[in-house]
Amino acid sequence: MSPARFTPAADTGARPSPTEPLRLQVLAALALHRIATTEQLRQMLRPNGTRQLLSRALNTLRSTGWVNRSALPDAPTYAWYLTPEGARIIRDLPVLRGRQPYPLTSEAAAPLRTPHTLTVVRAHLAFAAGARQLGHEHGPWDWTPEVAHSIGEGERLIADAILHYTVADEARRRKLRAFVEADRTTMSSERLATKLIDYARLFHHEPQPIGRRNATTPSPAWLRWYPVFPRVLFILTGATRHRLKNRISDLQDMTQQHPLVATFAREVPLGAAVLEDIENSGPSAAVWIPLTGGEPRPWTEL
């Protein structure tokens, strides 16, 4: 199988097309999403297809050395990831323009990243399934993991993902963006809540141009990438309902008590939900708790 077969002639667009080579889409999906199981790739790329269809494509790619797999310890399945050779093959893929392919250099490194990465992919798939059901737009290339931004003083904020989503109805089209934080209850509740301070710092961060002090009026750095600051969504899992409820309460306390975060929350919608709720009811259901207080609502109405 020649690498030339995996060089596209045009941009693949926001949604995968059944007419495009499935193996090309698998490579692109693993380059973007880092790690995914066979079933996750099926839901992502061929929601109406069979698991065997994806298995055949993955095994073919594994035989070329472009992808590899790691067994999951608690499930009879594998987590698939891109190899350095696979990353080299697709580095000029139009759909990945401006995004660095993310290979894993050894099979031993995969288990270190797998649990968190698969949780982030679960969140994406919930939004994708909800979008299909409602006729909205959110596909595999509308979700970018591990987005980093400077927040000043040599520090960076790394969001678990940035979500791009278009609400399409008869009245109008709304383009929405959100920073996503996936929490598996592996860190302290206080440490999770302090992420809100980093987002508030990003919102207010205005870097001074080097060598041009006071030459121009500073503007927020985030305007380089977003016309409107993305809302911030915390997605929680990995604990009892009672414990998850307490973690959401701690996020609300931080929103109310920290002056910088409180100011930030008056400008940017902030919400939290349980991953299993958005999987079972859909992300557009009233399962999101506003961090500023109030009744649960859809994430689009925070």
Side-chain angles (χ1 to χ4, degrees):
M1 181 166 49
S2 168
R5 293 180 62 185
F6 290 87
T7 303
D11 197 328
T12 56
R15 295 189 177 197
S17 166
T19 63
E20 296 162 358
L22 177 58
R23 285 169 288 180
L24 170 62
Q25 294 177 20
V26 169
L27 287 173
L30 292 177
L32 181 61
H33 295 275
R34 295 8 184 184
I35 300 170
T37 66
T38 306
E39 176 59 18
Q40 286 179 331
L41 288 167
R42 185 197 67 79
Q43 293 179 39
M44 187 185 303
L45 301 173
R46 293 293 188 275
N48 296 321
T50 65
R51 182 184 176 89
Q52 289 73 21
L53 179 66
L54 268 296
S55 293
R56 286 195 298 269
L58 286 162
N59 287 324
T60 298
L61 290 170
R62 186 172 180 239
S63 70
T64 68
W66 293 349
V67 306
N68 205 348
R69 67 188 188 183
S70 175
L72 296 181
D74 55 352
T77 189
Y78 296 97
W80 296 87
Y81 56 90
L82 200 66
T83 65
E85 177 64 15
R88 185 188 68 80
I89 291 295
I90 63 166
R91 61 189 174 188
D92 295 325
L93 195 65
V95 75
L96 296 175
R97 188 173 295 125
R99 307 175 184 181
Q100 186 68 27
Y102 191 92
L104 292 183
T105 56
S106 71
E107 188 172 349
L112 301 177
R113 299 189 58 90
T114 297
H116 181 76
T117 303
L118 294 184
T119 299
V120 175
V121 175
R122 283 177 61 188
H124 160 61
L125 293 174
F127 278 94
R132 287 194 301 271
Q133 183 178 10
L134 297 172
H136 297 168
E137 297 174 12
H138 176 72
W141 327 129
D142 298 322
W143 181 277
T144 307
E146 297 184 19
V147 177
H149 290 302
S150 170
I151 55 177
E153 301 179 0
E155 298 181 56
R156 293 194 307 165
L157 162 69
I158 302 178
D160 283 334
I162 182 74
L163 157 76
H164 296 266
Y165 191 101
T166 301
V167 177
D169 54 37
E170 296 180 358
R172 58 172 179 158
R173 290 169 57 85
R174 295 174 58 202
K175 294 185 179 296
L176 303 176
R177 301 163 190 83
F179 289 115
V180 176
E181 290 291 335
D183 172 48
R184 297 187 300 115
T185 324
T186 55
M187 67 175 70
S188 70
S189 186
E190 182 177 1
R191 183 181 169 196
L192 175 67
T194 58
K195 289 193 171 185
L196 283 166
I197 301 176
D198 290 339
Y199 280 104
R201 290 176 61 189
L202 174 61
F203 181 73
H204 293 285
H205 179 47
E206 297 182 351
Q208 286 282 351
I210 299 176
R212 298 173 57 193
R213 191 168 303 230
N214 298 326
T216 59
T217 301
S219 60
W222 57 264
L223 282 171
R224 286 188 57 188
W225 301 281
Y226 313 108
V228 176
F229 195 91
R231 59 196 64 206
V232 182
L233 305 177
F234 288 84
I235 300 176
L236 291 73
T237 189
T240 64
R241 286 279 170 171
H242 177 72
R243 189 175 177 189
L244 295 180
K245 182 179 178 181
N246 287 341
R247 291 172 80 81
I248 293 174
S249 178
D250 290 343
L251 288 167
Q252 291 178 315
D253 289 345
M254 177 65 77
T255 302
Q256 295 167 7
Q257 296 171 8
H258 194 284
L260 190 65
V261 178
T263 301
F264 170 59
R266 287 194 287 269
E267 301 290 337
V268 178
L270 312 174
V274 175
L275 175 57
E276 287 76 11
D277 288 344
I278 70 171
E279 288 179 324
N280 295 331
S281 301
S284 294
V287 296
W288 295 88
I289 308 298
L291 297 190
T292 52
E295 295 298 315
R297 63 199 64 182
W299 73 279
T300 55
E301 298 177 16
L302 288 169

